[in-house]
Amino acid sequence: MKNARSRLQFLLQLHDREALLPNERQRRFIESEGWIAWPAPALADALRQFIAQNRMLSGGMVIDGRPLALADIHNPVLCFVGENDKIGQPEAVRAIGRAAPRADIHEVSLPVGHLGIVVGSAATIGTWPAVAAWASHLDNGTEMPSSIQPMARSKIAAASGGRNPLIATVGQVLQAGWRLATATLDATRALTAGAATTLPRLLRLELVRPETRVSLGCLLDERATGHPGAVGFLWEDRAHTHAALKTRIDAVVAGLLSVGVRQGDAVGVLMETRPSMLIVVSALNRIGAVVVLLRPDGSLAEEIELGGAGRIVTDPEHVGSVRAQTDAEVLVLGGGAGQRDLGVDRVIDMERIDPAEVIFPTWYRPNPGLARENAFVLFTGDGPSTRARTITNARWARAAFGTAASAELGPRDTVFSVNPIHHPSGLLMSLGGAVASGARFSMASRFDPDTFWDEARRYGVTVVSYTWTQLRELVEAPPHPGEQHHTIRTFIGSGMPVGLWHRIIERFSPARVVEYYASSQTDAILVNMPGVKVGCMGTPLPGGPELRIARIDEKTRELALRADGSAEQCRPREIGMLLSRVEAGMSPAARPHRGLFAPGDAWTRTGDLFYRDEDGDYWLAGSADSLVTTAHGVVGGSAVEDALGVLDAIDMSVTYAIPGAEGDDLAVTAVTLRSGQSLDAEALSAALVPLPPDRRPHVVRVVERIPTSTSHRPLSGAFAESGRPAPGPGVYQLDPLSGGYRTARNPQARRSR
């Protein structure tokens, strides 16, 4: 209406040049000079990133293949706020304060609409003089005019329902009558996809059967076919689209086939975190080979033998050590193509293989992997305790779709993995969840609290994966500018101690923690999807195997079978062994127990102890090996550590056994304290009151540090070897009469007094 009125007024004043002149610049700006032609694909991309995915505020904009974020802005910023602006509403403009927390931001508020900020009489006397004064202030140190003020804090109006003001503004513009060309349908699809529920993923979980064709390579192909231009992978300030990833994967597939890799072959991969590792893992999976994920800090020769790898794909940094420790065929990938000297003999440089010249074998079909077939081999433990874990396509797919459903992932999300792909968290949750949901997948070359927030803002991270105590350094680090108004909504992982869990949700609110349990022996998966019960493992995912908790003999840690050989299911709150039912057509990793609950059934022990609460949720009580059998009862390490998690003073804890005569062990818990905190016997006693006296540790000792494994799991071996702690400061003894704790004093010191 306003536009029509302006046109009519222009026609009626054509005879009066002086009447037309004041509005001539505004008319010319609106009619032609203020608009430029924007190619439809570029418009679709802008709508996808800035509207559907809200990258202006959350970060992760990709321009010319590089991820950017307003949080990277360090220089002073001057914003102009139109008080009557219905397109760039004041609250939307002031949201820059949240998007760029490092910048010194000022504003000029004008009583105009959207176009009035740059053209018209108000712009002539308000906007452009303010720009000149601002530039002079920065360059010459002159005084700023009174019209330039520090930016007011943005507040989201209640009517917006908590939506981002940038999105609310664009939504109102679209509702006002914008009609987009058909070339922008891609962005519309992205917008609707962001509102998708978890139902389709849960349905796919239910449909995973032994003969289902499902794999990492298959899902990556789905993304490349459906969304070729969407960003799939972010690493070190570069963005890679699904189409670009597929092109590179296809090239590596050709190279692998040319050197004789076949479906079912076990091929080792040893690389530092880099795009080439993601590419070669995906390429091997597309062929149907078994990917043996070797750890750079693991026992290389032992892992190669355990995984049965006949070939090793490595990067230039590791080729020397790999060649020296194995007689297997060594392939080198990464570091660029062209002539180069790797400095090692008897290796194949895959970068010099031309994919166009490779003749594909007649047997090759992409993505042949079935759910029941082995896809990956992962490793846990160190040195002599190194163990191989075989991951089937079904297990990977269930973890992937389970992560996508529990974290409510969608195309607007970016999953940030602080663990490499050779770690279960990186492969199953981070990479799997991103690929299954269409979210972006980003990786850190290494976890560093000093750079974490810079990367998180630049990539637009919304979900972060973790393991055990990995996030300790982040939550204990000094406040970081990028932490303000962060976009992380979920931390998802496994093994987080209760105390750390409380500190995470307190400091990084409104982010939540979603704890994830995946058995190393079976396909059992539990997810604490609401994330409300701190320390809880949640419930089984749909489509997974049936789970039951069976009664055990705590002394022997074996199933407590009835006279007829059947097992007895535990009551609520009763601790027992978690069992996973063997699915028909699936090959169990260990020999199953048969006929436990019905004739002919088959169950596999997970090796972990659980109990269920009155709501049916599962709680981890520790592994069977972690129980400490004492003269008075059995002490479970996980229960003790969870109870101590309520004490703000305690940083980490671990429970271990000091061997005694005939199984009469001494239960000891070692704890570390947070900086500037102290522990006293009264607080310690109060924290452990919920545990029955016979399930409390005999001794609690304060130590300088607790070592952790490569997966950040607290280790107790060194403490057990040192024997019983000597009485003294920081050592607390359980009083058998009161059930509380008192300072354990040196007997020699008592006699001297």
Side-chain angles (χ1 to χ4, degrees):
M1 189 67 182
K2 184 177 180 181
N3 188 42
R5 188 166 54 247
S6 297
R7 285 177 177 270
L8 179 61
Q9 186 179 15
F10 172 75
L11 292 174
L12 295 176
Q13 294 178 336
L14 282 175
H15 65 283
D16 189 348
R17 182 175 183 275
E18 297 300 322
L20 292 175
L21 281 178
N23 296 318
E24 179 60 12
R25 283 185 294 180
Q26 186 178 43
R27 185 191 69 81
R28 289 170 58 185
F29 182 88
I30 296 174
E31 293 292 334
S32 60
E33 295 177 359
W35 305 94
I36 59 173
W38 209 1
L43 178 60
D45 183 60
L47 289 173
R48 182 190 305 111
Q49 293 200 60
F50 300 149
I51 298 178
Q53 298 175 352
N54 194 21
R55 299 292 176 190
M56 286 284 284
L57 185 62
S58 67
M61 296 179 290
V62 174
I63 299 176
D64 194 25
R66 296 181 64 87
L68 303 170
L70 297 181
D72 292 330
I73 297 176
H74 295 77
N75 294 328
V77 175
L78 178 62
C79 295
F80 288 84
V81 178
E83 296 171 5
N84 303 319
D85 195 338
K86 301 303 181 184
I87 298 177
Q89 295 183 20
E91 292 304 316
V93 175
R94 290 178 175 130
I96 184 67
R98 301 203 308 275
R102 290 185 178 87
D104 179 20
I105 305 175
H106 286 72
E107 68 171 57
V108 174
S109 183
L110 300 172
V112 297
H114 192 66
L115 295 176
I117 294 176
V118 291
V119 293
S121 57
T124 302
I125 63 175
T127 301
W128 303 117
V131 171
W134 173 257
S136 177
H137 168 73
L138 296 180
D139 291 342
N140 307 315
T142 57
E143 186 175 350
M144 283 194 298
S146 59
S147 61
I148 300 178
Q149 297 292 326
M151 174 161 280
R153 182 181 295 272
S154 173
K155 298 179 180 178
I156 299 177
S160 70
R163 290 186 301 163
N164 185 295
L166 296 178
I167 295 298
T169 296
V170 177
Q172 290 185 13
V173 172
L174 294 178
Q175 293 169 7
W178 282 69
R179 294 295 181 264
L180 303 179
T182 56
T184 65
L185 287 177
D186 188 22
T188 305
R189 294 191 190 100
L191 181 61
T192 57
T197 66
T198 61
L199 183 60
R201 294 154 199 167
L202 296 178
L203 179 60
R204 292 193 72 166
L205 274 171
E206 292 279 7
L207 296 177
V208 174
R209 295 293 179 264
E211 299 301 321
T212 304
R213 181 172 292 183
V214 62
S215 63
L216 168 62
C218 185
L219 292 184
L220 283 172
D221 273 0
E222 286 183 17
R223 297 298 165 198
T225 300
H227 307 278
V231 173
F233 180 50
L234 296 158
W235 188 74
E236 286 199 349
D237 295 337
R238 296 301 303 176
H240 305 266
T241 65
H242 286 294
L245 289 172
K246 178 174 172 56
T247 299
R248 178 61 172 159
I249 291 171
D250 287 343
V252 174
V253 165
L256 292 169
L257 293 174
S258 72
V259 299
V261 175
R262 299 180 65 91
Q263 181 181 353
D265 287 354
V267 180
V269 176
L270 177 65
M271 289 184 174
E272 295 293 346
T273 299
R274 59 195 308 161
S276 295
M277 184 173 189
L278 173 62
I279 296 299
V280 73
V281 168
S282 304
L284 287 167
N285 187 259
R286 181 173 293 173
I287 294 172
V290 179
V291 187
V292 182
L293 290 162
L294 307 169
R295 301 174 296 179
D297 55 354
S299 303
L300 180 58
E302 189 168 1
E303 291 183 5
I304 292 174
E305 182 178 356
L306 288 172
R311 292 183 176 88
I312 311 296
V313 183
T314 188
D315 52 23
E317 291 78 6
H318 292 92
V319 62
S321 61
V322 172
R323 181 72 284 169
Q325 297 186 59
T326 180
D327 293 328
E329 185 176 69
V330 178
L331 314 174
V332 183
L333 185 70
Q339 296 291 334
R340 59 178 178 175
D341 182 11
L342 295 172
V344 181
D345 297 329
R346 299 183 297 118
V347 299
I348 298 175
D349 189 352
M350 293 191 63
E351 296 290 352
R352 299 182 63 180
I353 299 175
D354 185 354
E357 297 181 358
V358 175
I359 300 176
F360 281 45
T362 56
W363 59 262
Y364 173 68
R365 297 290 185 275
N367 306 315
L370 302 179
R372 58 179 169 80
E373 295 176 340
N374 293 337
F376 307 99
V377 177
L378 301 174
F379 298 94
T380 59
D382 302 295
S385 61
T386 300
R387 298 290 182 270
R389 293 175 56 185
T390 301
I391 307 296
T392 63
N393 284 311
R395 180 178 172 82
W396 181 87
R398 285 169 177 162
F401 286 111
T403 300
S406 58
E408 299 174 336
L409 293 175
R412 290 179 57 178
D413 287 302
T414 299
V415 181
F416 190 37
S417 178
V418 294
N419 292 300
I421 295 177
H422 63 254
H423 191 281
S425 171
L427 176 69
L428 301 177
M429 286 190 294
S430 302
L431 176 59
V435 173
S437 64
R440 296 175 173 186
F441 175 58
S442 59
M443 294 189 72
S445 55
R446 64 186 183 90
F447 177 60
D448 185 350
D450 293 334
T451 61
F452 174 87
W453 289 109
D454 291 331
E455 292 181 291
R457 297 302 290 256
R458 189 172 303 121
Y459 299 153
V461 171
T462 55
V463 176
V464 178
S465 66
Y466 67 84
T467 60
W468 292 92
T469 62
Q470 188 171 30
L471 299 180
R472 281 180 58 249
E473 294 183 26
L474 184 67
V475 78
E476 296 295 338
H480 190 282
E483 183 182 337
Q484 302 177 48
H485 312 297
H486 66 80
T487 57
I488 297 172
R489 59 180 180 80
T490 302
F491 293 93
I492 184 168
S494 59
M496 180 178 287
V498 168
L500 180 59
W501 190 327
H502 281 295
R503 299 202 297 273
I504 289 288
I505 58 179
E506 179 181 348
R507 175 164 177 175
F508 303 132
S509 176
R512 60 172 181 158
V513 172
V514 173
E515 183 73 3
Y516 200 97
Y517 167 83
S519 167
S520 61
Q521 305 295 328
T522 72
D523 286 343
I525 296 177
L526 299 167
V527 180
N528 183 355
M529 196 172 295
V532 176
K533 295 181 179 180
V534 176
C536 181
M537 297 295 106
T539 55
L541 284 174
E546 180 185 355
L547 303 180
R548 293 191 184 183
I549 301 175
R551 186 167 294 165
I552 64 168
D553 182 332
E554 290 187 336
K555 295 287 186 179
T556 63
R557 304 172 192 178
E558 298 293 336
L559 295 177
L561 302 179
R562 297 188 180 99
D564 61 358
S566 63
E568 189 174 355
Q569 199 164 351
C570 289
R571 301 185 302 272
R573 298 284 174 181
E574 182 182 3
I575 296 174
M577 177 64 65
L578 182 67
L579 302 178
S580 174
R581 188 162 194 164
V582 178
E583 299 173 89
M586 293 289 191
S587 299
R591 182 179 178 181
H593 298 262
R594 297 188 180 276
L596 292 181
F597 300 102
D601 65 3
W603 300 81
T604 305
R605 290 167 42 118
T606 62
D608 292 318
L609 304 179
F610 276 82
Y611 67 88
R612 297 181 71 182
D613 61 20
E614 290 73 16
D615 298 325
D617 291 324
Y618 287 73
W619 295 76
L620 178 65
S623 67
D625 295 335
S626 69
L627 295 181
V628 180
T629 303
T630 72
H632 305 289
V634 177
V635 178
S638 293
V640 173
E641 290 144 25
D642 286 351
L644 293 176
V646 302
L647 294 178
D648 191 57
I650 291 182
D651 183 18
M652 293 172 59
S653 62
V654 64
T655 300
Y656 58 95
I658 301 297
E662 299 180 358
D664 182 10
D665 295 340
L666 184 77
V668 181
T669 299
V671 302
T672 57
L673 302 182
R674 298 176 64 195
S675 177
Q677 299 280 353
S678 61
L679 181 66
D680 60 61
E682 183 178 355
L684 182 61
S685 300
L688 293 174
V689 159
L691 299 179
D694 61 347
R695 294 187 178 272
R696 300 172 193 169
H698 297 92
V699 178
V700 176
R701 60 180 299 201
V702 177
V703 297
E704 188 68 25
R705 63 179 294 271
I706 295 176
T708 59
S709 67
T710 55
S711 60
H712 306 278
R713 181 174 188 167
L715 300 175
S716 62
F719 300 126
E721 294 172 1
S722 63
R724 179 167 183 153
V731 178
Y732 302 91
Q733 180 83 39
L734 177 66
D735 187 336
L737 297 179
S738 67
Y741 286 83
R742 53 181 172 77
T743 303
R745 299 184 179 181
N746 192 315
Q748 185 67 33
R750 289 201 299 267
R751 286 195 297 269
S752 65
R753 290 196 303 175

